[in-house]
Amino acid sequence: MASSEDIQALKSLVAEPKLLDVRLAQLDPVPLLLVYTHLSGDEDLLQRCRPYIKGAWSFEVEVPQDLQAELRAKVITTLKDYAQTARALPPAPDVATLQRMCDAAVGQHVPSEYMPMVLEELNFDGTDAKSVRWRKPVSQVTLDRYHVLVIGLGYSGLAMAIKLKEAGIPFTVIEKNDDVGGTWYENTYPGVAVDTPNHFYSYSFRTESNWDHYFAQGPEIIKYIRNVYREANLGEHVRFEEEVVSAVWDKHAALWNVRIRRNDGSEYPMAVTAVVSGSGLLNRPSIPDIPGMKDFKGPMFHSARWDHSVDLTGKRVVQVGTGASGMQIGPAIAPKVGKLTIFQRSPHWARKNPLLFAEVTDGVKWGLANIPYYTKWYRFQLLYATSDGVLPSLRKDPNWPEPETSLNAANKEIREMLVAHMRNELGGDEELLAKVTPSFPPYGKRMLRDGNWFRTLTRDNVELVTSTVQKFTPTGAVDQEGVEHPADVVILATGFKAQAPLFPIEIVGTNGSIRDHWGDDNPRAYLGVTVPEFPNFYILYGPNTNGGHGGSAVFNSECQVRYTMLALRELIEREAASMDVREEPFEQYNRLVDAEHAQLVWTHPGVKNWYRNKDGRVVTNSPWRLCHYRNLTANFDPAEYDFEPAKVTA
Ligand SMILES: Cc1cc2nc3c(=O)[nH]c(=O)nc-3n(C[C@H](O)[C@H](O)[C@H](O)COP(=O)(O)OP(=O)(O)OC[C@H]3O[C@@H](n4cnc5c(N)ncnc54)[C@H](O)[C@@H]3O)c2cc1C
């Protein structure tokens, strides 16, 4: 029996079938088809529609109108039936049915190992399957012996704080900014937006049906994060405008001695049992050291430190960098500046997505909010569309005859499609096409979304310089040919210190600092989370966890948060003082990461970017499919850790 609220909602939904039909006609047919199959158990339409579903994106679907009309009629009948019989919505489909539904949803076979992940990602029963629950009663006295410090309140730190609160574990969050949001708080440059659709790039335990865009701009994302923060009611646990400066492990007390700096420069200590870093991979701007920078007379700022007091109207602007941020900034500012000179060190691949600037219509928002399970099935489609569907094309084929420019047949096909797109956008300007075509295979750098980047390059007031900046003068930037490009303003879209996670925090474990272990650019961790000789220390969005082939950093963070919660549960239920990951699993895991990367595009000789350190090792990206990383982090094996018992005090 459904709750009276649910029955009422269903009754009002079907009260006017004609209106409902009009509304359903505005929705994507595939999530609707999955809803119908799920609620009715009837797979006939699923099989009949399947040949028309070529991919997971809505624009890859061509279900004929008559089938769509039949689908809508059946959805209405089914919803009416639920309302009249006051039946509760069904639980998740059994695994065999789920498999058939997933295959149809994305127009290809989804490997069976995805099914557990899909079930927990979609949370059909309304509970968060990733939440970690105590296996035995743990007293408040025991809990009070533990105190966790979370560094940072971006997407990762916020998820961690929510889960710690849920479990009743004492914790404090220290955030250097004056607000929540991390990346989305700090990056306010014109055009800032996600390149992962937000119906997936959001917490699985707090989905949102009201997104205005499929690919939200910064302010919309920060609004969502602020809402989640407010609902979580973390007030007393969070200290804004304070920065963690150092954390030193005290072996005898089994505590981290942390130093925290307030905004006014004063510092204070805090002793905690465990530290979870949510300090972000892309948080500390990487500012290049270019001769003459200090001599430049006009404003010069990094994309993540945008100076909104500078009016760019009519100005001569030099933009350094054409990565993810640069590709969003250029098209956003080109129409208003006098001249935009873009310095490109190496080009990027970028894909068109018809939904990039599209607004979510009120009709679709209504469907997401009101049609049972519609949001969930839509989320699955996006999850697959933006990530693992593409990974096989990033694997090197040892017998491939054109290894310089592509990896395998599918990768070549993508390359040709991308080149054709660029040619079209550049209006056939072959000289410009040669400048913007990467020599390395597609996905060697993160695949970007073409938000009018190529068209922007064809504007009369835009010049692309395929060189790095040799030096700055008081009035401009000089390229490697010695040509000076006059500038009133310089924008550094030069990325972040991604190869030095935790920078500049001084973290000292049982045997030296994290920099002693990692050097400048070789961070390694077990599952991206724990490091031997750093007991009770956990990293979110750590080494080798960035989704290079796509996916959502939020998904990965949720995996790491769960793993950390499993670890803390083990620590606390044992009433142990500390836990330290053993060398063997750590080394073995990193060997596997490196071996997997050797097969993938990011170790292609032509690929040089922030994913690889100076020795060529890929240190930022995860080589794993989402489901594999989920499986690795969904269980905690205590045998992989050394536990120190708590000291008995008299
Ligand atoms: C412009 C841009 C666009 C992006 N788009 C996407 C996308 O479309 N899809 C995707 O998957 N990923 C994207 N990313 C990656 C993005 O960083 C992650 O998706 C996600 O926001 C990371 O969240 P986080 O909480 O791990 O880190 P962050 O958001 O970086 O948050 C870290 C927080 O820690 C705080 N902090 C750091 N050091 C300290 C300290 N010592 N003491 C106290 N506080 C500290 C920071 O102030 C910050 O609030 C994008 C990144 C950028 C820069």
Side-chain angles (χ1 to χ4, degrees), residues 151-152 154-156 174-177 182-184 186 189 194-196 201 244 278-280 283-284 505 541 552-553:
I151 307 174
Y155 254 125
S156 304
I174 300 292
E175 167 53 59
K176 69 176 165 53
N177 295 330
T183 293
W184 302 103
E186 294 190 9
Y189 59 77
V194 290
D195 58 15
T196 310
Y201 183 72
V244 173
S279 62
N283 184 252
R284 303 287 173 163
I505 316 170
Y541 205 3
S552 147

PDB file of all heavy atoms in Angstrom, residues 151-152 154-156 174-177 182-184 186 189 194-196 201 244 278-280 283-284 505 541 552-553, ligand 1:
ATOM      1  N   ILE A 151      38.967  19.005   5.826  1.00  0.00           N
ATOM      2  CA  ILE A 151      39.532  20.224   5.237  1.00  0.00           C
ATOM      3  C   ILE A 151      38.749  20.554   3.971  1.00  0.00           C
ATOM      4  O   ILE A 151      38.726  19.778   3.023  1.00  0.00           O
ATOM      5  CB  ILE A 151      41.019  20.035   4.857  1.00  0.00           C
ATOM      6  CG1 ILE A 151      41.831  19.517   6.044  1.00  0.00           C
ATOM      7  CG2 ILE A 151      41.609  21.343   4.325  1.00  0.00           C
ATOM      8  CD1 ILE A 151      43.281  19.170   5.693  1.00  0.00           C
ATOM      9  N   GLY A 152      38.084  21.681   3.964  1.00  0.00           N
ATOM     10  CA  GLY A 152      37.422  22.160   2.752  1.00  0.00           C
ATOM     11  C   GLY A 152      35.950  21.802   2.679  1.00  0.00           C
ATOM     12  O   GLY A 152      35.515  20.757   3.166  1.00  0.00           O
ATOM     13  N   GLY A 154      33.972  22.010  -0.381  1.00  0.00           N
ATOM     14  CA  GLY A 154      33.468  21.921  -1.760  1.00  0.00           C
ATOM     15  C   GLY A 154      32.530  20.719  -1.812  1.00  0.00           C
ATOM     16  O   GLY A 154      32.049  20.232  -0.779  1.00  0.00           O
ATOM     17  N   TYR A 155      32.281  20.237  -3.009  1.00  0.00           N
ATOM     18  CA  TYR A 155      31.416  19.063  -3.180  1.00  0.00           C
ATOM     19  C   TYR A 155      31.867  17.902  -2.278  1.00  0.00           C
ATOM     20  O   TYR A 155      31.046  17.234  -1.639  1.00  0.00           O
ATOM     21  CB  TYR A 155      31.495  18.592  -4.638  1.00  0.00           C
ATOM     22  CG  TYR A 155      30.282  18.903  -5.484  1.00  0.00           C
ATOM     23  CD1 TYR A 155      30.403  19.608  -6.685  1.00  0.00           C
ATOM     24  CD2 TYR A 155      29.018  18.457  -5.121  1.00  0.00           C
ATOM     25  CE1 TYR A 155      29.299  19.859  -7.488  1.00  0.00           C
ATOM     26  CE2 TYR A 155      27.908  18.710  -5.928  1.00  0.00           C
ATOM     27  CZ  TYR A 155      28.054  19.408  -7.103  1.00  0.00           C
ATOM     28  OH  TYR A 155      26.960  19.657  -7.896  1.00  0.00           O
ATOM     29  N   SER A 156      33.198  17.640  -2.240  1.00  0.00           N
ATOM     30  CA  SER A 156      33.693  16.465  -1.510  1.00  0.00           C
ATOM     31  C   SER A 156      33.553  16.647  -0.005  1.00  0.00           C
ATOM     32  O   SER A 156      33.013  15.770   0.688  1.00  0.00           O
ATOM     33  CB  SER A 156      35.170  16.216  -1.837  1.00  0.00           C
ATOM     34  OG  SER A 156      35.356  16.071  -3.200  1.00  0.00           O
ATOM     35  N   ILE A 174      36.952  22.805   8.362  1.00  0.00           N
ATOM     36  CA  ILE A 174      37.653  24.085   8.234  1.00  0.00           C
ATOM     37  C   ILE A 174      37.674  24.461   6.751  1.00  0.00           C
ATOM     38  O   ILE A 174      38.150  23.691   5.915  1.00  0.00           O
ATOM     39  CB  ILE A 174      39.116  23.961   8.747  1.00  0.00           C
ATOM     40  CG1 ILE A 174      39.148  23.536  10.221  1.00  0.00           C
ATOM     41  CG2 ILE A 174      39.895  25.259   8.532  1.00  0.00           C
ATOM     42  CD1 ILE A 174      38.622  24.552  11.197  1.00  0.00           C
ATOM     43  N   GLU A 175      37.158  25.635   6.448  1.00  0.00           N
ATOM     44  CA  GLU A 175      37.082  26.080   5.047  1.00  0.00           C
ATOM     45  C   GLU A 175      37.720  27.468   4.936  1.00  0.00           C
ATOM     46  O   GLU A 175      37.341  28.384   5.646  1.00  0.00           O
ATOM     47  CB  GLU A 175      35.617  26.101   4.587  1.00  0.00           C
ATOM     48  CG  GLU A 175      35.348  26.830   3.287  1.00  0.00           C
ATOM     49  CD  GLU A 175      36.204  26.369   2.097  1.00  0.00           C
ATOM     50  OE1 GLU A 175      36.134  25.185   1.744  1.00  0.00           O
ATOM     51  OE2 GLU A 175      36.955  27.214   1.543  1.00  0.00           O
ATOM     52  N   LYS A 176      38.661  27.598   4.007  1.00  0.00           N
ATOM     53  CA  LYS A 176      39.393  28.872   3.919  1.00  0.00           C
ATOM     54  C   LYS A 176      38.533  30.002   3.344  1.00  0.00           C
ATOM     55  O   LYS A 176      38.781  31.164   3.609  1.00  0.00           O
ATOM     56  CB  LYS A 176      40.697  28.709   3.144  1.00  0.00           C
ATOM     57  CG  LYS A 176      40.557  28.447   1.646  1.00  0.00           C
ATOM     58  CD  LYS A 176      41.930  28.401   0.995  1.00  0.00           C
ATOM     59  CE  LYS A 176      41.945  27.799  -0.381  1.00  0.00           C
ATOM     60  NZ  LYS A 176      41.041  28.306  -1.397  1.00  0.00           N
ATOM     61  N   ASN A 177      37.546  29.659   2.537  1.00  0.00           N
ATOM     62  CA  ASN A 177      36.688  30.706   1.968  1.00  0.00           C
ATOM     63  C   ASN A 177      35.600  31.105   2.967  1.00  0.00           C
ATOM     64  O   ASN A 177      35.434  30.468   3.999  1.00  0.00           O
ATOM     65  CB  ASN A 177      36.043  30.206   0.671  1.00  0.00           C
ATOM     66  CG  ASN A 177      37.086  29.963  -0.408  1.00  0.00           C
ATOM     67  OD1 ASN A 177      38.119  30.624  -0.427  1.00  0.00           O
ATOM     68  ND2 ASN A 177      36.831  29.005  -1.280  1.00  0.00           N
ATOM     69  N   GLY A 182      33.653  25.538  -2.964  1.00  0.00           N
ATOM     70  CA  GLY A 182      34.959  25.206  -3.566  1.00  0.00           C
ATOM     71  C   GLY A 182      35.083  25.738  -4.985  1.00  0.00           C
ATOM     72  O   GLY A 182      34.984  26.947  -5.237  1.00  0.00           O
ATOM     73  N   THR A 183      35.308  24.825  -5.918  1.00  0.00           N
ATOM     74  CA  THR A 183      35.464  25.158  -7.339  1.00  0.00           C
ATOM     75  C   THR A 183      34.416  26.161  -7.802  1.00  0.00           C
ATOM     76  O   THR A 183      34.719  27.134  -8.498  1.00  0.00           O
ATOM     77  CB  THR A 183      35.269  23.869  -8.181  1.00  0.00           C
ATOM     78  OG1 THR A 183      36.342  22.982  -7.918  1.00  0.00           O
ATOM     79  CG2 THR A 183      35.210  24.169  -9.661  1.00  0.00           C
ATOM     80  N   TRP A 184      33.179  25.933  -7.381  1.00  0.00           N
ATOM     81  CA  TRP A 184      32.059  26.709  -7.925  1.00  0.00           C
ATOM     82  C   TRP A 184      31.888  28.030  -7.202  1.00  0.00           C
ATOM     83  O   TRP A 184      31.172  28.907  -7.650  1.00  0.00           O
ATOM     84  CB  TRP A 184      30.789  25.850  -7.928  1.00  0.00           C
ATOM     85  CG  TRP A 184      31.079  24.632  -8.735  1.00  0.00           C
ATOM     86  CD1 TRP A 184      31.349  23.374  -8.268  1.00  0.00           C
ATOM     87  CD2 TRP A 184      31.269  24.561 -10.159  1.00  0.00           C
ATOM     88  NE1 TRP A 184      31.675  22.530  -9.299  1.00  0.00           N
ATOM     89  CE2 TRP A 184      31.628  23.235 -10.472  1.00  0.00           C
ATOM     90  CE3 TRP A 184      31.169  25.490 -11.195  1.00  0.00           C
ATOM     91  CZ2 TRP A 184      31.878  22.819 -11.782  1.00  0.00           C
ATOM     92  CZ3 TRP A 184      31.425  25.074 -12.491  1.00  0.00           C
ATOM     93  CH2 TRP A 184      31.773  23.755 -12.773  1.00  0.00           C
ATOM     94  N   GLU A 186      34.848  29.648  -6.267  1.00  0.00           N
ATOM     95  CA  GLU A 186      36.042  30.407  -6.643  1.00  0.00           C
ATOM     96  C   GLU A 186      36.084  30.772  -8.125  1.00  0.00           C
ATOM     97  O   GLU A 186      36.686  31.761  -8.505  1.00  0.00           O
ATOM     98  CB  GLU A 186      37.305  29.615  -6.267  1.00  0.00           C
ATOM     99  CG  GLU A 186      37.455  29.451  -4.759  1.00  0.00           C
ATOM    100  CD  GLU A 186      38.797  28.889  -4.337  1.00  0.00           C
ATOM    101  OE1 GLU A 186      39.697  28.764  -5.175  1.00  0.00           O
ATOM    102  OE2 GLU A 186      38.930  28.568  -3.142  1.00  0.00           O
ATOM    103  N   TYR A 189      34.519  33.260 -13.501  1.00  0.00           N
ATOM    104  CA  TYR A 189      34.846  33.897 -14.786  1.00  0.00           C
ATOM    105  C   TYR A 189      33.649  33.842 -15.750  1.00  0.00           C
ATOM    106  O   TYR A 189      32.783  32.970 -15.622  1.00  0.00           O
ATOM    107  CB  TYR A 189      36.086  33.233 -15.403  1.00  0.00           C
ATOM    108  CG  TYR A 189      35.977  31.742 -15.668  1.00  0.00           C
ATOM    109  CD1 TYR A 189      35.268  31.242 -16.754  1.00  0.00           C
ATOM    110  CD2 TYR A 189      36.616  30.823 -14.846  1.00  0.00           C
ATOM    111  CE1 TYR A 189      35.186  29.885 -17.015  1.00  0.00           C
ATOM    112  CE2 TYR A 189      36.538  29.459 -15.091  1.00  0.00           C
ATOM    113  CZ  TYR A 189      35.819  29.001 -16.177  1.00  0.00           C
ATOM    114  OH  TYR A 189      35.731  27.649 -16.432  1.00  0.00           O
ATOM    115  N   VAL A 194      29.580  23.809 -16.064  1.00  0.00           N
ATOM    116  CA  VAL A 194      29.981  22.398 -16.024  1.00  0.00           C
ATOM    117  C   VAL A 194      30.129  21.867 -17.444  1.00  0.00           C
ATOM    118  O   VAL A 194      29.539  22.409 -18.376  1.00  0.00           O
ATOM    119  CB  VAL A 194      28.933  21.514 -15.310  1.00  0.00           C
ATOM    120  CG1 VAL A 194      28.883  21.783 -13.840  1.00  0.00           C
ATOM    121  CG2 VAL A 194      27.565  21.667 -15.935  1.00  0.00           C
ATOM    122  N   ASP A 195      30.923  20.808 -17.589  1.00  0.00           N
ATOM    123  CA  ASP A 195      30.860  20.092 -18.859  1.00  0.00           C
ATOM    124  C   ASP A 195      30.310  18.679 -18.641  1.00  0.00           C
ATOM    125  O   ASP A 195      30.298  17.861 -19.543  1.00  0.00           O
ATOM    126  CB  ASP A 195      32.198  20.113 -19.617  1.00  0.00           C
ATOM    127  CG  ASP A 195      33.333  19.524 -18.828  1.00  0.00           C
ATOM    128  OD1 ASP A 195      33.070  18.847 -17.821  1.00  0.00           O
ATOM    129  OD2 ASP A 195      34.499  19.722 -19.240  1.00  0.00           O
ATOM    130  N   THR A 196      29.855  18.411 -17.433  1.00  0.00           N
ATOM    131  CA  THR A 196      29.143  17.168 -17.127  1.00  0.00           C
ATOM    132  C   THR A 196      27.692  17.568 -16.830  1.00  0.00           C
ATOM    133  O   THR A 196      27.479  18.466 -16.020  1.00  0.00           O
ATOM    134  CB  THR A 196      29.724  16.519 -15.853  1.00  0.00           C
ATOM    135  OG1 THR A 196      31.143  16.447 -15.975  1.00  0.00           O
ATOM    136  CG2 THR A 196      29.151  15.136 -15.623  1.00  0.00           C
ATOM    137  N   TYR A 201      25.799  15.302 -12.515  1.00  0.00           N
ATOM    138  CA  TYR A 201      26.842  15.964 -11.719  1.00  0.00           C
ATOM    139  C   TYR A 201      26.185  16.624 -10.500  1.00  0.00           C
ATOM    140  O   TYR A 201      26.060  17.840 -10.397  1.00  0.00           O
ATOM    141  CB  TYR A 201      27.564  17.002 -12.589  1.00  0.00           C
ATOM    142  CG  TYR A 201      28.719  17.712 -11.916  1.00  0.00           C
ATOM    143  CD1 TYR A 201      29.909  17.064 -11.650  1.00  0.00           C
ATOM    144  CD2 TYR A 201      28.613  19.050 -11.562  1.00  0.00           C
ATOM    145  CE1 TYR A 201      30.954  17.730 -11.039  1.00  0.00           C
ATOM    146  CE2 TYR A 201      29.658  19.728 -10.953  1.00  0.00           C
ATOM    147  CZ  TYR A 201      30.826  19.059 -10.696  1.00  0.00           C
ATOM    148  OH  TYR A 201      31.872  19.707 -10.089  1.00  0.00           O
ATOM    149  N   VAL A 244      43.655  25.407   7.039  1.00  0.00           N
ATOM    150  CA  VAL A 244      44.546  24.420   7.656  1.00  0.00           C
ATOM    151  C   VAL A 244      45.946  24.637   7.089  1.00  0.00           C
ATOM    152  O   VAL A 244      46.144  24.578   5.870  1.00  0.00           O
ATOM    153  CB  VAL A 244      44.058  22.981   7.376  1.00  0.00           C
ATOM    154  CG1 VAL A 244      45.071  21.964   7.879  1.00  0.00           C
ATOM    155  CG2 VAL A 244      42.689  22.765   8.015  1.00  0.00           C
ATOM    156  N   GLY A 278      39.417  17.399   1.926  1.00  0.00           N
ATOM    157  CA  GLY A 278      38.561  17.668   0.762  1.00  0.00           C
ATOM    158  C   GLY A 278      39.059  18.948   0.127  1.00  0.00           C
ATOM    159  O   GLY A 278      38.268  19.794  -0.284  1.00  0.00           O
ATOM    160  N   SER A 279      40.411  19.097   0.106  1.00  0.00           N
ATOM    161  CA  SER A 279      40.980  20.384  -0.301  1.00  0.00           C
ATOM    162  C   SER A 279      41.028  20.561  -1.818  1.00  0.00           C
ATOM    163  O   SER A 279      41.440  21.608  -2.306  1.00  0.00           O
ATOM    164  CB  SER A 279      42.376  20.577   0.305  1.00  0.00           C
ATOM    165  OG  SER A 279      43.252  19.590  -0.167  1.00  0.00           O
ATOM    166  N   GLY A 280      40.589  19.538  -2.549  1.00  0.00           N
ATOM    167  CA  GLY A 280      40.403  19.729  -3.993  1.00  0.00           C
ATOM    168  C   GLY A 280      41.653  19.488  -4.810  1.00  0.00           C
ATOM    169  O   GLY A 280      42.778  19.732  -4.365  1.00  0.00           O
ATOM    170  N   ASN A 283      42.203  23.347  -6.997  1.00  0.00           N
ATOM    171  CA  ASN A 283      41.891  24.471  -6.124  1.00  0.00           C
ATOM    172  C   ASN A 283      42.980  25.538  -6.107  1.00  0.00           C
ATOM    173  O   ASN A 283      42.681  26.725  -5.996  1.00  0.00           O
ATOM    174  CB  ASN A 283      41.615  23.976  -4.702  1.00  0.00           C
ATOM    175  CG  ASN A 283      41.197  25.111  -3.791  1.00  0.00           C
ATOM    176  OD1 ASN A 283      41.939  25.532  -2.919  1.00  0.00           O
ATOM    177  ND2 ASN A 283      40.005  25.652  -4.041  1.00  0.00           N
ATOM    178  N   ARG A 284      44.247  25.115  -6.223  1.00  0.00           N
ATOM    179  CA  ARG A 284      45.325  26.113  -6.130  1.00  0.00           C
ATOM    180  C   ARG A 284      45.780  26.493  -7.540  1.00  0.00           C
ATOM    181  O   ARG A 284      46.333  25.653  -8.271  1.00  0.00           O
ATOM    182  CB  ARG A 284      46.507  25.549  -5.336  1.00  0.00           C
ATOM    183  CG  ARG A 284      46.149  25.085  -3.938  1.00  0.00           C
ATOM    184  CD  ARG A 284      45.906  26.245  -3.014  1.00  0.00           C
ATOM    185  NE  ARG A 284      45.399  25.754  -1.720  1.00  0.00           N
ATOM    186  CZ  ARG A 284      45.390  26.460  -0.606  1.00  0.00           C
ATOM    187  NH1 ARG A 284      45.845  27.696  -0.589  1.00  0.00           N
ATOM    188  NH2 ARG A 284      44.898  25.957   0.504  1.00  0.00           N
ATOM    189  N   ILE A 505      49.543  22.589   2.151  1.00  0.00           N
ATOM    190  CA  ILE A 505      49.445  22.156   3.555  1.00  0.00           C
ATOM    191  C   ILE A 505      50.641  21.254   3.887  1.00  0.00           C
ATOM    192  O   ILE A 505      51.005  20.383   3.096  1.00  0.00           O
ATOM    193  CB  ILE A 505      48.137  21.382   3.815  1.00  0.00           C
ATOM    194  CG1 ILE A 505      46.942  22.084   3.160  1.00  0.00           C
ATOM    195  CG2 ILE A 505      47.900  21.193   5.314  1.00  0.00           C
ATOM    196  CD1 ILE A 505      45.672  21.265   3.164  1.00  0.00           C
ATOM    197  N   TYR A 541      39.178  13.110  -3.689  1.00  0.00           N
ATOM    198  CA  TYR A 541      39.664  13.649  -4.969  1.00  0.00           C
ATOM    199  C   TYR A 541      41.196  13.658  -4.960  1.00  0.00           C
ATOM    200  O   TYR A 541      41.829  14.626  -5.330  1.00  0.00           O
ATOM    201  CB  TYR A 541      39.097  15.053  -5.198  1.00  0.00           C
ATOM    202  CG  TYR A 541      39.002  15.517  -6.644  1.00  0.00           C
ATOM    203  CD1 TYR A 541      39.351  14.687  -7.717  1.00  0.00           C
ATOM    204  CD2 TYR A 541      38.553  16.797  -6.956  1.00  0.00           C
ATOM    205  CE1 TYR A 541      39.254  15.119  -9.025  1.00  0.00           C
ATOM    206  CE2 TYR A 541      38.443  17.246  -8.265  1.00  0.00           C
ATOM    207  CZ  TYR A 541      38.811  16.395  -9.297  1.00  0.00           C
ATOM    208  OH  TYR A 541      38.712  16.837 -10.597  1.00  0.00           O
ATOM    209  N   SER A 552      31.707  12.033 -13.543  1.00  0.00           N
ATOM    210  CA  SER A 552      31.475  13.176 -12.670  1.00  0.00           C
ATOM    211  C   SER A 552      32.369  13.057 -11.448  1.00  0.00           C
ATOM    212  O   SER A 552      32.421  12.000 -10.810  1.00  0.00           O
ATOM    213  CB  SER A 552      29.997  13.169 -12.264  1.00  0.00           C
ATOM    214  OG  SER A 552      29.827  13.662 -10.969  1.00  0.00           O
ATOM    215  N   ALA A 553      33.064  14.149 -11.128  1.00  0.00           N
ATOM    216  CA  ALA A 553      33.913  14.138  -9.931  1.00  0.00           C
ATOM    217  C   ALA A 553      33.063  13.896  -8.690  1.00  0.00           C
ATOM    218  O   ALA A 553      33.554  13.373  -7.688  1.00  0.00           O
ATOM    219  CB  ALA A 553      34.668  15.462  -9.816  1.00  0.00           C
TER     220      ALA A 553
HETATM  221  C1  LIG B   1      36.124  25.587 -13.903  1.00  0.00           C
HETATM  222  C2  LIG B   1      35.973  24.155 -13.509  1.00  0.00           C
HETATM  223  C3  LIG B   1      34.972  23.381 -14.080  1.00  0.00           C
HETATM  224  C4  LIG B   1      34.819  22.051 -13.698  1.00  0.00           C
HETATM  225  N1  LIG B   1      33.844  21.308 -14.292  1.00  0.00           N
HETATM  226  C5  LIG B   1      33.690  20.014 -13.938  1.00  0.00           C
HETATM  227  C6  LIG B   1      32.688  19.204 -14.538  1.00  0.00           C
HETATM  228  O1  LIG B   1      31.936  19.642 -15.406  1.00  0.00           O
HETATM  229  N2  LIG B   1      32.599  17.921 -14.160  1.00  0.00           N
HETATM  230  C7  LIG B   1      33.414  17.378 -13.222  1.00  0.00           C
HETATM  231  O2  LIG B   1      33.275  16.201 -12.909  1.00  0.00           O
HETATM  232  N3  LIG B   1      34.361  18.138 -12.620  1.00  0.00           N
HETATM  233  C8  LIG B   1      34.527  19.411 -12.964  1.00  0.00           C
HETATM  234  N4  LIG B   1      35.505  20.169 -12.365  1.00  0.00           N
HETATM  235  C9  LIG B   1      36.329  19.584 -11.298  1.00  0.00           C
HETATM  236  C10 LIG B   1      35.828  20.090  -9.918  1.00  0.00           C
HETATM  237  O3  LIG B   1      36.918  20.555  -9.232  1.00  0.00           O
HETATM  238  C11 LIG B   1      35.108  18.958  -9.177  1.00  0.00           C
HETATM  239  O4  LIG B   1      34.007  18.568  -9.951  1.00  0.00           O
HETATM  240  C12 LIG B   1      34.573  19.299  -7.793  1.00  0.00           C
HETATM  241  O5  LIG B   1      33.968  20.540  -7.729  1.00  0.00           O
HETATM  242  C13 LIG B   1      35.660  19.158  -6.755  1.00  0.00           C
HETATM  243  O6  LIG B   1      35.121  19.312  -5.487  1.00  0.00           O
HETATM  244  P1  LIG B   1      36.064  19.183  -4.226  1.00  0.00           P
HETATM  245  O7  LIG B   1      35.212  19.467  -3.052  1.00  0.00           O
HETATM  246  O8  LIG B   1      36.773  17.894  -4.254  1.00  0.00           O
HETATM  247  O9  LIG B   1      37.176  20.298  -4.416  1.00  0.00           O
HETATM  248  P2  LIG B   1      37.012  21.869  -4.520  1.00  0.00           P
HETATM  249  O10 LIG B   1      35.740  22.231  -5.147  1.00  0.00           O
HETATM  250  O11 LIG B   1      38.262  22.365  -5.141  1.00  0.00           O
HETATM  251  O12 LIG B   1      36.929  22.338  -3.015  1.00  0.00           O
HETATM  252  C14 LIG B   1      38.044  22.334  -2.166  1.00  0.00           C
HETATM  253  C15 LIG B   1      37.742  23.227  -0.987  1.00  0.00           C
HETATM  254  O13 LIG B   1      38.772  23.087  -0.020  1.00  0.00           O
HETATM  255  C16 LIG B   1      39.114  24.373   0.474  1.00  0.00           C
HETATM  256  N5  LIG B   1      40.493  24.315   0.942  1.00  0.00           N
HETATM  257  C17 LIG B   1      41.587  23.985   0.225  1.00  0.00           C
HETATM  258  N6  LIG B   1      42.684  24.010   0.998  1.00  0.00           N
HETATM  259  C18 LIG B   1      42.265  24.345   2.235  1.00  0.00           C
HETATM  260  C19 LIG B   1      42.922  24.506   3.480  1.00  0.00           C
HETATM  261  N7  LIG B   1      44.236  24.322   3.610  1.00  0.00           N
HETATM  262  N8  LIG B   1      42.187  24.861   4.563  1.00  0.00           N
HETATM  263  C20 LIG B   1      40.849  25.047   4.450  1.00  0.00           C
HETATM  264  N9  LIG B   1      40.172  24.913   3.301  1.00  0.00           N
HETATM  265  C21 LIG B   1      40.873  24.548   2.208  1.00  0.00           C
HETATM  266  C22 LIG B   1      38.926  25.283  -0.714  1.00  0.00           C
HETATM  267  O14 LIG B   1      38.753  26.627  -0.318  1.00  0.00           O
HETATM  268  C23 LIG B   1      37.685  24.694  -1.359  1.00  0.00           C
HETATM  269  O15 LIG B   1      36.514  25.268  -0.847  1.00  0.00           O
HETATM  270  C24 LIG B   1      35.693  21.493 -12.728  1.00  0.00           C
HETATM  271  C25 LIG B   1      36.717  22.269 -12.192  1.00  0.00           C
HETATM  272  C26 LIG B   1      36.866  23.584 -12.577  1.00  0.00           C
HETATM  273  C27 LIG B   1      37.975  24.384 -11.970  1.00  0.00           C
END
